[in-house]
Protein backbone atom coordinates (compact mmCIF):
# COMPACT_ATOMS: atom_id res chain seq x y z
CA UNK A 1 0.00 0.00 0.00
CA UNK A 2 1.40 3.42 -0.99
CA UNK A 3 2.06 6.11 1.62
CA UNK A 4 -0.76 8.37 0.35
CA UNK A 5 -3.30 5.54 0.51
CA UNK A 6 -2.15 4.65 4.03
CA UNK A 7 -2.59 8.24 5.20
CA UNK A 8 -6.05 8.38 3.63
CA UNK A 9 -7.23 5.24 5.43
CA UNK A 10 -5.73 6.46 8.68
CA UNK A 11 -7.75 9.68 8.41
CA UNK A 12 -10.88 7.65 7.85
CA UNK A 13 -10.23 5.79 11.07
CA UNK A 14 -9.62 8.97 13.03
CA UNK A 15 -12.52 11.07 11.70
CA UNK A 16 -16.07 10.46 10.56
CA UNK A 17 -16.17 10.16 6.78
CA UNK A 18 -17.93 13.44 6.10
CA UNK A 19 -15.67 15.34 8.50
CA UNK A 20 -12.55 14.14 6.72
CA UNK A 21 -13.77 15.11 3.29
CA UNK A 22 -15.32 18.44 4.21
CA UNK A 23 -12.78 19.86 6.65
CA UNK A 24 -12.52 23.58 6.19
CA UNK A 25 -15.98 23.90 4.62
CA UNK A 26 -17.75 27.24 5.07
CA UNK A 27 -20.83 27.42 7.24
CA UNK A 28 -22.91 30.24 8.64
CA UNK A 29 -25.23 30.82 11.59
CA UNK A 30 -28.76 31.80 10.62
CA UNK A 31 -30.41 33.54 13.56
CA UNK A 32 -34.11 34.33 13.37
CA UNK A 33 -34.61 36.84 16.21
CA UNK A 34 -36.00 39.54 13.92
CA UNK A 35 -39.19 41.59 14.00
CA UNK A 36 -39.34 41.43 10.19
CA UNK A 37 -37.44 38.31 9.13
CA UNK A 38 -36.35 37.67 5.58
CA UNK A 39 -38.47 34.94 3.96
CA UNK A 40 -36.84 31.52 4.20
CA UNK A 41 -36.59 30.95 0.46
CA UNK A 42 -34.73 34.24 0.04
CA UNK A 43 -32.30 33.37 2.86
CA UNK A 44 -31.58 29.95 1.35
CA UNK A 45 -30.85 31.59 -2.00
CA UNK A 46 -28.62 34.08 -0.19
CA UNK A 47 -26.69 31.20 1.39
CA UNK A 48 -26.26 29.39 -1.91
CA UNK A 49 -25.34 32.54 -3.88
CA UNK A 50 -22.53 33.18 -1.40
CA UNK A 51 -21.15 29.66 -1.26
CA UNK A 52 -22.30 28.63 2.22
CA UNK A 53 -22.74 24.85 2.14
CA UNK A 54 -23.49 24.50 5.85
CA UNK A 55 -25.87 26.38 8.14
CA UNK A 56 -26.52 26.30 11.88
CA UNK A 57 -29.96 27.10 13.31
CA UNK A 58 -30.37 27.94 16.99
CA UNK A 59 -33.76 26.24 17.11
CA UNK A 60 -35.91 24.05 14.91
CA UNK A 61 -37.59 26.96 13.14
CA UNK A 62 -40.27 25.45 10.84
CA UNK A 63 -40.04 28.13 8.15
CA UNK A 64 -36.26 27.95 7.99
CA UNK A 65 -36.21 24.16 7.89
CA UNK A 66 -38.84 23.91 5.17
CA UNK A 67 -36.98 26.47 3.09
CA UNK A 68 -33.78 24.42 3.41
CA UNK A 69 -35.50 21.35 2.01
CA UNK A 70 -33.72 19.85 -1.03
CA UNK A 71 -31.26 22.73 -1.06
CA UNK A 72 -28.26 20.46 -0.50
CA UNK A 73 -27.11 22.67 2.39
CA UNK A 74 -26.01 20.73 5.47
CA UNK A 75 -28.02 21.75 8.52
CA UNK A 76 -27.15 21.77 12.21
CA UNK A 77 -30.40 22.11 14.19
CA UNK A 78 -30.13 23.66 17.63
CA UNK A 79 -32.00 22.91 20.85
CA UNK A 80 -32.38 25.96 23.16
CA UNK A 81 -31.16 25.66 26.73
CA UNK A 82 -34.67 25.89 28.18
CA UNK A 83 -35.46 22.53 26.55
CA UNK A 84 -32.60 20.72 28.26
CA UNK A 85 -34.45 19.85 31.47
CA UNK A 86 -37.43 18.08 29.85
CA UNK A 87 -35.12 16.31 27.40
CA UNK A 88 -32.87 15.18 30.24
CA UNK A 89 -35.80 13.90 32.24
CA UNK A 90 -37.36 11.64 29.64
CA UNK A 91 -36.07 9.72 26.64
CA UNK A 92 -39.67 9.75 25.36
CA UNK A 93 -39.54 13.54 25.18
CA UNK A 94 -36.28 13.30 23.25
CA UNK A 95 -37.82 10.79 20.86
CA UNK A 96 -40.76 13.11 20.26
CA UNK A 97 -38.40 16.04 19.64
CA UNK A 98 -36.36 14.04 17.12
CA UNK A 99 -39.50 12.80 15.37
CA UNK A 100 -40.98 16.29 15.02
CA UNK A 101 -37.81 18.30 14.34
CA UNK A 102 -35.42 15.92 12.59
CA UNK A 103 -37.10 12.87 11.09
CA UNK A 104 -40.09 14.80 9.73
CA UNK A 105 -37.98 17.37 7.91
CA UNK A 106 -35.63 14.77 6.47
CA UNK A 107 -38.40 12.52 5.17
CA UNK A 108 -41.03 15.07 4.12
CA UNK A 109 -38.92 17.99 2.94
CA UNK A 110 -35.55 16.48 2.12
CA UNK A 111 -33.65 18.65 4.61
CA UNK A 112 -30.03 17.54 4.88
CA UNK A 113 -29.78 17.56 8.68
CA UNK A 114 -26.32 16.39 9.73
CA UNK A 115 -26.09 17.58 13.35
CA UNK A 116 -28.27 18.27 16.36
CA UNK A 117 -26.79 20.91 18.68
CA UNK A 118 -27.91 20.12 22.23
CA UNK A 119 -28.05 23.43 24.08
CA UNK A 120 -26.18 26.63 23.35
CA UNK A 121 -23.13 27.40 25.48
CA UNK A 122 -24.81 25.77 28.52
CA UNK A 123 -21.69 25.94 30.71
CA UNK A 124 -21.14 29.69 30.45
CA UNK A 125 -19.82 30.98 33.76
CA UNK A 126 -22.57 33.59 33.82
CA UNK A 127 -25.18 30.80 34.02
CA UNK A 128 -23.73 29.80 37.42
CA UNK A 129 -24.15 26.07 36.78
CA UNK A 130 -27.81 26.30 35.78
CA UNK A 131 -27.53 23.70 33.01
CA UNK A 132 -24.70 21.52 34.32
CA UNK A 133 -26.98 18.73 35.53
CA UNK A 134 -29.22 18.57 32.48
CA UNK A 135 -26.92 18.99 29.46
CA UNK A 136 -25.27 15.56 29.46
CA UNK A 137 -28.48 13.56 30.12
CA UNK A 138 -30.22 15.58 27.38
CA UNK A 139 -27.35 14.76 25.02
CA UNK A 140 -27.57 11.07 25.89
CA UNK A 141 -31.33 10.98 25.33
CA UNK A 142 -31.12 12.82 22.02
CA UNK A 143 -28.43 10.39 20.86
CA UNK A 144 -30.62 7.45 21.88
CA UNK A 145 -33.57 9.00 20.06
CA UNK A 146 -31.51 9.48 16.88
CA UNK A 147 -30.44 5.84 16.99
CA UNK A 148 -34.01 4.66 17.54
CA UNK A 149 -35.14 6.76 14.58
CA UNK A 150 -32.52 5.08 12.39
CA UNK A 151 -30.51 8.29 12.12
CA UNK A 152 -27.56 7.43 14.36
CA UNK A 153 -25.05 7.37 11.51
CA UNK A 154 -26.58 10.17 9.43
CA UNK A 155 -27.14 12.77 12.17
CA UNK A 156 -24.53 13.48 14.84
CA UNK A 157 -25.21 15.05 18.23
CA UNK A 158 -22.97 17.80 19.58
CA UNK A 159 -22.97 20.48 22.29
CA UNK A 160 -21.93 24.01 21.24
CA UNK A 161 -19.70 25.32 24.01
CA UNK A 162 -18.22 28.70 24.76
CA UNK A 163 -14.43 28.90 24.92
CA UNK A 164 -14.69 29.57 28.65
CA UNK A 165 -15.01 25.81 29.26
CA UNK A 166 -11.22 25.64 29.09
CA UNK A 167 -8.44 27.76 30.51
CA UNK A 168 -4.66 27.88 30.85
CA UNK A 169 -2.58 27.78 34.00
CA UNK A 170 0.39 29.65 32.51
CA UNK A 171 -1.23 32.12 30.04
CA UNK A 172 0.02 29.92 27.17
CA UNK A 173 -1.86 27.40 25.00
CA UNK A 174 0.31 24.57 26.32
CA UNK A 175 -1.16 25.15 29.77
CA UNK A 176 -4.64 24.41 28.49
CA UNK A 177 -7.09 22.24 30.42
CA UNK A 178 -10.78 22.22 31.18
CA UNK A 179 -12.21 24.38 33.93
CA UNK A 180 -11.89 22.59 37.28
CA UNK A 181 -15.61 22.95 38.11
CA UNK A 182 -16.68 21.11 34.93
CA UNK A 183 -13.57 19.07 34.08
CA UNK A 184 -15.10 15.68 34.90
CA UNK A 185 -18.32 16.61 33.11
CA UNK A 186 -16.42 17.77 30.01
CA UNK A 187 -14.41 14.54 29.89
CA UNK A 188 -17.60 12.48 30.17
CA UNK A 189 -19.32 14.45 27.39
CA UNK A 190 -16.33 14.32 25.05
CA UNK A 191 -15.92 10.56 25.58
CA UNK A 192 -19.62 10.08 24.83
CA UNK A 193 -19.35 12.18 21.66
CA UNK A 194 -16.28 10.26 20.57
CA UNK A 195 -17.89 6.88 21.22
CA UNK A 196 -20.86 7.90 19.06
CA UNK A 197 -18.85 9.42 16.20
CA UNK A 198 -19.76 12.97 17.16
CA UNK A 199 -17.80 16.20 17.21
CA UNK A 200 -16.95 18.85 19.78
CA UNK A 201 -18.28 22.31 18.91
CA UNK A 202 -16.57 25.42 20.27
CA UNK A 203 -17.49 29.10 19.85
CA UNK A 204 -14.52 31.47 19.74
CA UNK A 205 -14.94 35.26 19.78
CA UNK A 206 -11.81 37.42 19.54
CA UNK A 207 -14.08 40.48 19.63
CA UNK A 208 -15.23 39.55 23.12
CA UNK A 209 -11.62 39.39 24.29
CA UNK A 210 -11.26 42.98 23.19
CA UNK A 211 -14.67 43.93 24.62
CA UNK A 212 -13.88 42.46 28.04
CA UNK A 213 -10.39 43.93 28.39
CA UNK A 214 -9.65 47.51 27.27
CA UNK A 215 -5.93 46.71 27.50
CA UNK A 216 -6.17 43.74 25.14
CA UNK A 217 -3.72 44.29 22.21
CA UNK A 218 -6.08 45.07 19.36
CA UNK A 219 -3.88 43.78 16.53
CA UNK A 220 -3.74 40.39 18.29
CA UNK A 221 -7.49 40.05 17.66
CA UNK A 222 -6.97 39.99 13.88
CA UNK A 223 -5.10 37.74 11.45
CA UNK A 224 -2.62 40.25 10.03
CA UNK A 225 0.13 39.69 12.58
CA UNK A 226 0.77 41.09 16.04
CA UNK A 227 3.33 43.52 17.38
CA UNK A 228 3.46 41.41 20.52
CA UNK A 229 3.13 37.72 19.54
CA UNK A 230 2.79 35.00 22.17
CA UNK A 231 5.69 32.53 22.22
CA UNK A 232 4.90 29.07 23.55
CA UNK A 233 8.00 26.90 23.31
CA UNK A 234 8.79 26.50 19.63
CA UNK A 235 5.44 27.96 18.52
CA UNK A 236 4.76 31.65 17.98
CA UNK A 237 1.14 32.83 18.01
CA UNK A 238 0.36 36.05 16.17
CA UNK A 239 -3.43 36.02 16.71
CA UNK A 240 -5.77 35.11 19.53
CA UNK A 241 -7.86 32.69 17.45
CA UNK A 242 -4.97 30.27 16.96
CA UNK A 243 -3.87 30.61 20.58
CA UNK A 244 -7.40 30.05 21.85
CA UNK A 245 -8.09 27.08 19.56
CA UNK A 246 -4.78 25.42 20.42
CA UNK A 247 -5.50 25.88 24.13
CA UNK A 248 -8.49 23.62 23.52
CA UNK A 249 -6.38 21.13 21.56
CA UNK A 250 -3.89 20.97 24.43
CA UNK A 251 -6.78 20.37 26.85
CA UNK A 252 -8.08 17.55 24.65
CA UNK A 253 -4.65 15.92 24.37
CA UNK A 254 -4.02 16.09 28.12
CA UNK A 255 -7.23 14.19 28.71
CA UNK A 256 -6.73 11.50 26.09
CA UNK A 257 -8.68 12.92 23.16
CA UNK A 258 -5.89 13.67 20.68
CA UNK A 259 -8.03 12.88 17.62
CA UNK A 260 -11.34 14.40 18.72
CA UNK A 261 -12.84 16.34 15.76
CA UNK A 262 -13.65 19.98 16.50
CA UNK A 263 -16.10 22.36 14.84
CA UNK A 264 -15.87 26.12 15.32
CA UNK A 265 -19.57 26.76 15.79
CA UNK A 266 -19.49 30.56 16.00
CA UNK A 267 -16.88 33.16 15.12
CA UNK A 268 -17.28 36.65 13.71
CA UNK A 269 -17.23 40.37 14.40
CA UNK A 270 -20.16 42.78 14.98
CA UNK A 271 -20.57 46.07 13.13
CA UNK A 272 -22.45 48.31 15.56
CA UNK A 273 -23.34 48.86 19.19
CA UNK A 274 -19.79 49.42 20.49
CA UNK A 275 -16.77 51.55 19.46
CA UNK A 276 -14.86 48.41 18.39
CA UNK A 277 -17.91 46.98 16.62
CA UNK A 278 -17.66 48.75 13.29
CA UNK A 279 -17.56 48.03 9.58
CA UNK A 280 -13.79 48.43 9.22
CA UNK A 281 -12.91 46.00 12.00
CA UNK A 282 -15.57 43.50 10.92
CA UNK A 283 -14.25 43.57 7.35
CA UNK A 284 -10.67 43.14 8.53
CA UNK A 285 -11.50 40.21 10.79
CA UNK A 286 -13.91 38.32 8.55
CA UNK A 287 -11.77 38.73 5.44
CA UNK A 288 -8.79 37.36 7.37
CA UNK A 289 -10.95 34.45 8.52
CA UNK A 290 -12.19 33.73 4.99
CA UNK A 291 -8.63 33.87 3.66
CA UNK A 292 -7.65 31.17 6.18
CA UNK A 293 -10.56 29.02 5.07
CA UNK A 294 -9.64 29.48 1.41
CA UNK A 295 -6.05 28.44 2.13
CA UNK A 296 -7.26 25.45 4.21
CA UNK A 297 -5.12 26.84 7.02
CA UNK A 298 -5.26 25.18 10.41
CA UNK A 299 -3.37 26.03 13.58
CA UNK A 300 0.09 24.97 14.84
CA UNK A 301 -1.40 22.12 16.90
CA UNK A 302 -4.02 21.13 14.30
CA UNK A 303 -2.81 21.83 10.74
CA UNK A 304 -6.04 20.36 9.34
CA UNK A 305 -8.62 23.18 9.42
CA UNK A 306 -11.92 22.67 11.22
CA UNK A 307 -15.35 23.31 9.79
CA UNK A 308 -16.19 26.92 10.63
CA UNK A 309 -19.62 28.52 11.02
CA UNK A 310 -19.41 32.27 10.59
CA UNK A 311 -21.49 34.30 12.99
CA UNK A 312 -23.72 35.50 11.62
CA UNK A 313 -25.60 35.82 8.39
CA UNK A 314 -28.13 38.59 9.07
CA UNK A 315 -28.63 41.20 11.81
CA UNK A 316 -31.33 40.37 14.39
CA UNK A 317 -33.18 43.37 15.80
CA UNK A 318 -35.01 41.53 18.59
CA UNK A 319 -32.10 39.53 19.96
CA UNK A 320 -31.26 39.96 23.64
CA UNK A 321 -28.75 42.73 24.31
CA UNK A 322 -27.87 41.53 27.79
CA UNK A 323 -24.25 40.82 26.72
CA UNK A 324 -24.07 44.22 24.94
CA UNK A 325 -25.72 46.37 22.27
CA UNK A 326 -23.51 44.75 19.64
CA UNK A 327 -25.52 41.50 19.91
CA UNK A 328 -27.97 42.67 17.24
CA UNK A 329 -25.28 43.48 14.69
CA UNK A 330 -23.23 40.34 14.01
CA UNK A 331 -24.51 39.80 10.46
CA UNK A 332 -22.35 40.14 7.37
CA UNK A 333 -25.63 41.34 5.85
CA UNK A 334 -28.05 43.94 7.17
CA UNK A 335 -31.55 42.91 8.29
CA UNK A 336 -32.76 43.02 4.68
CA UNK A 337 -29.91 41.02 3.15
CA UNK A 338 -28.01 44.01 1.76
CA UNK A 339 -24.21 43.82 1.92
CA UNK A 340 -22.54 45.64 4.80
CA UNK A 341 -18.96 45.59 3.51
CA UNK A 342 -17.07 43.83 0.72
CA UNK A 343 -15.70 40.34 1.28
CA UNK A 344 -13.81 38.19 -1.20
CA UNK A 345 -15.10 34.64 -0.99
CA UNK A 346 -13.33 31.37 -1.76
CA UNK A 347 -14.19 31.46 -5.47
CA UNK A 348 -12.93 35.03 -5.80
CA UNK A 349 -16.37 36.60 -6.03
CA UNK A 350 -17.73 39.27 -3.73
CA UNK A 351 -20.77 39.01 -1.50
CA UNK A 352 -24.08 38.75 -3.34
CA UNK A 353 -27.05 40.57 -1.73
CA UNK A 354 -30.49 39.08 -1.17
CA UNK A 355 -32.84 39.26 -4.13
CA UNK A 356 -36.56 39.96 -4.37
CA UNK A 357 -36.98 42.00 -1.18
CA UNK A 358 -40.23 43.95 -0.82
CA UNK A 359 -40.23 46.98 1.45
CA UNK A 360 -42.81 49.14 3.19
CA UNK A 361 -43.55 52.56 1.68
CA UNK A 362 -40.64 54.94 1.29
CA UNK A 363 -41.53 57.12 4.24
CA UNK A 364 -40.12 57.87 7.67
CA UNK A 365 -41.37 59.17 11.02
CA UNK A 366 -39.42 62.14 12.36
CA UNK A 367 -39.70 64.81 15.02
CA UNK A 368 -41.93 67.61 13.76
CA UNK A 369 -39.97 70.76 12.85
CA UNK A 370 -42.58 72.69 14.83
CA UNK A 371 -41.76 70.90 18.08
CA UNK A 372 -38.87 71.88 20.32
CA UNK A 373 -36.35 69.32 21.51
CA UNK A 374 -37.07 70.57 25.03
CA UNK A 375 -40.70 69.42 24.84
CA UNK A 376 -41.32 67.50 28.11
CA UNK A 377 -43.13 64.70 26.23
CA UNK A 378 -40.05 63.75 24.21
CA UNK A 379 -38.23 61.71 26.83
CA UNK A 380 -41.17 59.40 27.48
CA UNK A 381 -41.85 59.02 23.76
CA UNK A 382 -38.26 58.09 22.95
CA UNK A 383 -38.09 55.65 25.85
CA UNK A 384 -41.34 54.07 24.73
CA UNK A 385 -40.17 53.78 21.13
CA UNK A 386 -36.90 52.16 22.15
CA UNK A 387 -38.69 49.73 24.44
CA UNK A 388 -40.37 48.15 21.42
CA UNK A 389 -37.85 48.86 18.67
CA UNK A 390 -34.08 48.57 18.26
CA UNK A 391 -32.20 51.74 19.22
CA UNK A 392 -28.80 50.15 19.80
CA UNK A 393 -27.25 52.16 16.95
CA UNK A 394 -27.69 55.31 19.08
CA UNK A 395 -25.31 54.12 21.79
CA UNK A 396 -21.82 55.38 22.51
CA UNK A 397 -19.43 54.71 19.64
CA UNK A 398 -22.22 53.36 17.43
CA UNK A 399 -23.18 54.28 13.87
CA UNK A 400 -25.77 56.91 14.89
CA UNK A 401 -23.96 58.25 17.94
CA UNK A 402 -22.98 61.48 16.19
CA UNK A 403 -26.52 62.61 15.35
CA UNK A 404 -27.66 65.93 16.80
CA UNK A 405 -30.43 65.91 19.40
CA UNK A 406 -33.27 66.38 16.90
CA UNK A 407 -32.05 63.61 14.61
CA UNK A 408 -31.43 61.35 17.59
CA UNK A 409 -35.07 61.70 18.60
CA UNK A 410 -36.24 61.18 15.02
CA UNK A 411 -34.22 57.96 14.73
CA UNK A 412 -35.91 56.46 17.78
CA UNK A 413 -39.40 57.44 16.62
CA UNK A 414 -38.77 56.05 13.15
CA UNK A 415 -37.52 52.74 14.49
CA UNK A 416 -40.83 52.25 16.27
CA UNK A 417 -42.81 53.39 13.22
CA UNK A 418 -41.07 50.86 10.98
CA UNK A 419 -41.32 47.98 13.46
CA UNK A 420 -45.05 48.77 13.72
CA UNK A 421 -45.34 48.26 9.93
CA UNK A 422 -45.98 51.98 9.40
CA UNK A 423 -49.46 51.46 10.81
CA UNK A 424 -51.77 54.43 11.10
CA UNK A 425 -51.13 56.07 14.45
CA UNK A 426 -47.65 54.60 14.86
CA UNK A 427 -46.17 58.03 14.12
CA UNK A 428 -48.19 59.98 16.65
CA UNK A 429 -46.30 60.29 19.94
CA UNK A 430 -48.36 63.08 21.51
CA UNK A 431 -48.31 64.95 18.19
CA UNK A 432 -44.53 65.24 18.38
CA UNK A 433 -43.86 63.63 15.01
CA UNK A 434 -44.66 63.81 11.33
CA UNK A 435 -44.26 61.51 8.35
CA UNK A 436 -41.76 62.56 5.68
CA UNK A 437 -40.84 61.25 2.23
CA UNK A 438 -37.32 62.69 2.49
CA UNK A 439 -34.75 60.16 3.70
CA UNK A 440 -33.32 61.52 7.00
CA UNK A 441 -30.28 59.20 6.94
CA UNK A 442 -26.97 60.90 7.69
CA UNK A 443 -23.50 59.56 6.94
CA UNK A 444 -23.15 56.05 8.26
CA UNK A 445 -26.44 56.31 10.20
CA UNK A 446 -29.24 54.67 8.22
CA UNK A 447 -32.88 55.43 8.94
CA UNK A 448 -34.39 52.09 8.04
CA UNK A 449 -37.47 51.12 6.09
CA UNK A 450 -38.67 47.69 7.14
CA UNK A 451 -39.34 44.66 5.00
CA UNK A 452 -43.00 44.32 4.00
CA UNK A 453 -43.51 40.89 5.51
CA UNK A 454 -47.18 40.92 4.53
CA UNK A 455 -46.40 41.16 0.80
CA UNK A 456 -43.94 38.28 1.06
CA UNK A 457 -46.41 36.11 2.97
CA UNK A 458 -49.14 36.48 0.36
CA UNK A 459 -47.24 33.91 -1.67
CA UNK A 460 -46.85 31.52 1.29
CA UNK A 461 -49.62 28.99 1.86
CA UNK A 462 -48.92 28.09 5.47
CA UNK A 463 -51.42 28.39 8.28
CA UNK A 464 -48.62 28.26 10.85
CA UNK A 465 -46.71 31.13 9.27
CA UNK A 466 -49.89 33.13 8.83
CA UNK A 467 -50.96 32.62 12.42
CA UNK A 468 -47.51 33.65 13.66
CA UNK A 469 -47.82 36.87 11.70
CA UNK A 470 -51.31 37.45 13.09
CA UNK A 471 -49.88 37.11 16.60
CA UNK A 472 -47.15 39.63 15.80
CA UNK A 473 -49.69 42.04 14.26
CA UNK A 474 -51.78 41.74 17.43
CA UNK A 475 -48.77 42.80 19.50
CA UNK A 476 -48.07 45.71 17.15
CA UNK A 477 -51.71 46.81 17.21
CA UNK A 478 -51.71 46.70 21.01
CA UNK A 479 -48.58 48.87 21.16
CA UNK A 480 -49.91 51.36 18.60
CA UNK A 481 -53.17 51.59 20.54
CA UNK A 482 -51.19 52.40 23.65
CA UNK A 483 -49.40 55.20 21.79
CA UNK A 484 -52.71 56.59 20.57
CA UNK A 485 -54.18 56.50 24.07
CA UNK A 486 -51.09 58.23 25.40
CA UNK A 487 -51.41 60.92 22.71
CA UNK A 488 -55.12 61.40 23.48
CA UNK A 489 -54.42 61.73 27.18
CA UNK A 490 -51.75 64.34 26.52
CA UNK A 491 -54.13 66.27 24.30
CA UNK A 492 -56.78 66.30 27.06
CA UNK A 493 -54.24 67.53 29.55
Amino acid sequence: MGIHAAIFWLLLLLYPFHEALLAGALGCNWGTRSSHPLPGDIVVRLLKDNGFDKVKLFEADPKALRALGRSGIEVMVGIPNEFLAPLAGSVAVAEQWVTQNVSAYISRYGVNITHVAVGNEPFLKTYKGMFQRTTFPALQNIQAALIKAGLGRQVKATVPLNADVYQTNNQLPSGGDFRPDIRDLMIAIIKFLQDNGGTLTINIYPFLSLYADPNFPIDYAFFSGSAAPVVDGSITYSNVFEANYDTLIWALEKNGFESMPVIVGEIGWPTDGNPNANLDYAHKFNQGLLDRITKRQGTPKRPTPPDIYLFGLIDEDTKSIQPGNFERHWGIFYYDGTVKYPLVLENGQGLVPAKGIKYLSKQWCVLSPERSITDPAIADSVNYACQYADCTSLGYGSSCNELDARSNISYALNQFYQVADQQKGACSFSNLSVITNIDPSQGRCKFEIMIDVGKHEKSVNSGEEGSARIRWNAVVAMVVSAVLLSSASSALL
Side-chain angles (χ1 to χ4, degrees):
M1 181 183 294
I3 183 64
H4 295 294
I7 292 173
F8 177 77
W9 287 110
L10 178 60
L11 286 172
L12 290 185
L13 291 173
L14 292 177
Y15 299 93
F17 182 73
H18 70 281
E19 296 293 340
L21 293 183
L22 294 176
L26 181 59
C28 196
N29 287 268
W30 175 5
T32 56
R33 301 295 188 192
S34 301
S35 63
H36 291 63
L38 279 176
D41 59 331
I42 290 179
V43 175
V44 170
R45 184 177 179 182
L46 182 68
L47 289 165
K48 292 176 73 69
D49 284 348
N50 289 284
F52 291 105
D53 50 18
K54 297 174 183 289
V55 69
K56 180 156 76 73
L57 304 175
F58 292 93
E59 55 193 331
D61 183 277
K63 290 182 284 186
L65 284 167
R66 284 197 291 269
L68 286 161
R70 298 176 179 83
S71 66
I73 297 173
E74 296 187 12
V75 181
M76 181 185 294
V77 181
I79 299 177
N81 290 335
E82 55 265 30
F83 292 176
L84 293 176
L87 290 169
S90 169
V91 70
V93 172
E95 289 170 1
Q96 183 181 20
W97 190 93
V98 167
T99 298
Q100 293 178 350
N101 299 295
V102 181
S103 300
Y105 288 104
I106 291 175
S107 61
R108 296 177 194 171
Y109 300 98
V111 182
N112 186 17
I113 297 175
T114 59
H115 291 83
V116 172
V118 182
N120 184 39
E121 300 185 338
F123 303 149
L124 269 176
K125 292 179 182 178
T126 53
Y127 290 150
K128 302 184 185 303
M130 185 186 306
F131 304 110
Q132 287 184 18
R133 293 187 177 182
T134 55
T135 300
F136 190 21
L139 172 66
Q140 291 171 309
N141 286 344
I142 286 292
Q143 181 65 50
L146 289 170
I147 293 171
K148 184 174 181 179
L151 298 171
R153 294 177 64 85
Q154 178 181 346
V155 182
K156 302 301 181 183
T158 187
V159 180
L161 299 167
N162 188 276
D164 75 349
V165 299
Y166 50 89
Q167 59 189 32
T168 174
N169 58 15
N170 61 1
Q171 304 304 310
L172 299 173
S174 59
D177 204 346
F178 297 111
R179 262 177 25 214
D181 62 311
I182 58 170
R183 184 174 180 275
D184 291 344
L185 178 57
M186 283 295 302
I187 291 172
I189 287 175
I190 294 169
K191 185 178 187 307
F192 181 82
L193 291 173
Q194 187 178 66
D195 289 346
N196 287 277
T199 57
L200 182 64
T201 301
I202 290 292
N203 302 338
I204 299 176
Y205 283 108
F207 168 80
L208 295 181
S209 299
L210 185 61
Y211 178 72
D213 181 5
N215 297 315
F216 187 86
I218 190 166
D219 57 341
Y220 194 55
F222 300 98
F223 299 103
S224 52
S226 173
V230 172
V231 179
D232 189 359
S234 61
I235 300 174
T236 298
Y237 290 97
S238 61
N239 64 80
V240 69
F241 168 75
E242 288 189 347
N244 190 308
Y245 186 88
D246 277 3
T247 302
L248 167 64
I249 303 306
W250 274 104
L252 289 170
E253 290 184 359
K254 285 178 183 176
N255 292 284
F257 302 105
E258 294 85 357
S259 60
M260 184 68 195
V262 176
I263 291 173
V264 177
E266 297 177 27
I267 184 170
W269 200 283
T271 57
D272 212 347
N274 179 266
N276 289 317
N278 57 65
L279 295 173
D280 290 338
Y281 282 179
H283 171 261
K284 181 178 181 180
F285 181 84
N286 283 328
Q287 187 61 68
L289 179 65
L290 288 171
D291 289 345
R292 291 178 63 90
I293 295 171
T294 299
K295 297 173 184 175
R296 303 291 188 267
Q297 183 176 349
T299 65
K301 288 290 289 180
R302 279 271 181 100
T304 301
D307 282 354
I308 291 177
Y309 290 78
L310 189 66
F311 189 81
L313 186 66
I314 307 166
D315 284 350
E316 302 172 78
D317 68 341
T318 63
K319 191 177 180 187
S320 170
I321 56 172
Q322 186 174 2
N325 286 345
F326 54 83
E327 278 297 319
R328 295 177 176 174
H329 305 279
W330 288 95
I332 58 174
F333 296 95
Y334 289 108
Y335 70 101
D336 58 353
T338 53
V339 176
K340 286 186 178 181
Y341 47 85
L343 285 174
V344 179
L345 304 175
E346 183 176 6
N347 57 7
Q349 76 172 38
L351 289 176
V352 178
K355 300 178 177 68
I357 308 301
K358 299 181 177 72
Y359 295 90
L360 298 172
S361 299
K362 195 174 182 180
Q363 57 189 32
W364 298 263
C365 179
V366 297
L367 181 64
S368 171
E370 298 177 359
R371 302 303 291 263
S372 169
I373 61 172
T374 61
D375 191 303
I378 285 178
D380 287 343
S381 295
V382 168
N383 288 337
Y384 194 87
C386 292
Q387 180 182 351
Y388 292 98
D390 178 28
C391 295
T392 53
S393 294
L394 292 173
Y396 170 70
S398 301
S399 61
C400 298
N401 180 228
E402 297 179 358
L403 295 177
D404 61 22
R406 180 171 291 276
S407 296
N408 190 297
I409 296 164
S410 293
Y411 182 90
L413 302 184
N414 183 67
Q415 287 294 94
F416 177 87
Y417 179 61
Q418 301 298 336
V419 166
D421 290 325
Q422 299 183 358
Q423 288 190 30
K424 184 178 180 180
C427 186
S428 179
F429 295 104
S430 303
N431 297 317
L432 288 171
S433 47
V434 295
I435 295 173
T436 180
N437 295 319
I438 301 173
D439 187 351
S441 299
Q442 299 178 33
R444 63 193 184 115
C445 179
K446 296 172 59 178
F447 280 61
E448 297 172 349
I449 294 178
M450 276 295 170
I451 298 167
D452 191 334
V453 180
K455 285 183 180 178
H456 283 289
E457 288 185 347
K458 286 179 180 178
S459 61
V460 177
N461 296 317
S462 169
E464 183 174 355
E465 291 173 1
S467 63
R469 187 60 187 165
I470 289 170
R471 289 193 296 271
W472 169 248
N473 282 338
V475 173
V476 170
M478 188 166 56
V479 173
V480 171
S481 296
V483 174
L484 289 173
L485 287 172
S486 175
S487 299
S489 299
S490 298
L492 290 173
L493 293 174

